[in-house]
Amino acid sequence: MRDKIAIITGANSGMGLATTVAMAKKGFQVIMVCRNPERGENALQKAKTESGTDHIMVDFL
Ligand SMILES: NC(=O)c1ccc[n+]([C@@H]2O[C@H](COP(=O)([O-])OP(=O)(O)OC[C@H]3O[C@@H](n4cnc5c(N)ncnc54)[C@H](OP(=O)(O)O)[C@@H]3O)[C@@H](O)[C@H]2O)c1
C-alpha cells in the first residue's frame, strides 16, 4: 500500500494524462477517473509506459 494516493479526473488525455504520469513518477498510487472505457484503458497503458511504473489504475464514472 502506498501512502500517497492521487485521484485524477479527465485522466485519459491532455493535462489529466500528463498529471497522471507526473504523479506516478513521484511515487503516488494514481487512480485515473475516466468516462469512456476504451479511451481509459488505452490511456492507462500509455501512462504506465510513460511513467515506467505499474502503480496506476483506472476507474470509470
Ligand atoms: N489555465 C491554463 O493555462 C490551461 C492550460 C491548458 C488547459 N486548460 C484547461 O484545462 C482543461 C483540460 O485541458 P486539456 O487540454 O487537458 O483537455 P483535453 O485533452 O480535451 O482533456 C479533457 C479531459 O476531460 C474529460 N472531460 C471533458 N468533458 C467532460 C465531462 N463533461 N465530464 C467528465 N469528463 C470530461 C475528457 O474526457 P473524454 O476523453 O471522455 O472526453 C478528457 O479526459 C480545459 O478546461 C482547458 O481549457 C487550462
Side-chain angles (χ1 to χ4, degrees):
M1 167 80 80
R2 289 175 178 268
D3 57 358
K4 296 182 290 185
I5 300 172
I7 299 172
I8 302 177
T9 56
N12 62 274
S13 66
M15 293 176 64
L17 181 56
T19 304
T20 295
V21 171
M23 299 299 270
K25 283 182 176 175
K26 285 185 177 291
F28 283 71
Q29 169 71 50
V30 182
I31 302 171
M32 305 169 71
V33 181
C34 303
R35 56 181 178 171
N36 179 283
E38 186 178 355
R39 286 198 292 274
E41 294 291 353
N42 288 339
L44 173 63
Q45 296 311 316
K46 191 172 180 184
K48 286 182 176 179
T49 301
E50 289 187 8
S51 67
T53 71
D54 203 31
H55 45 267
I56 308 172
M57 62 183 71
V58 64
D59 204 350
F60 302 99
L61 293 173

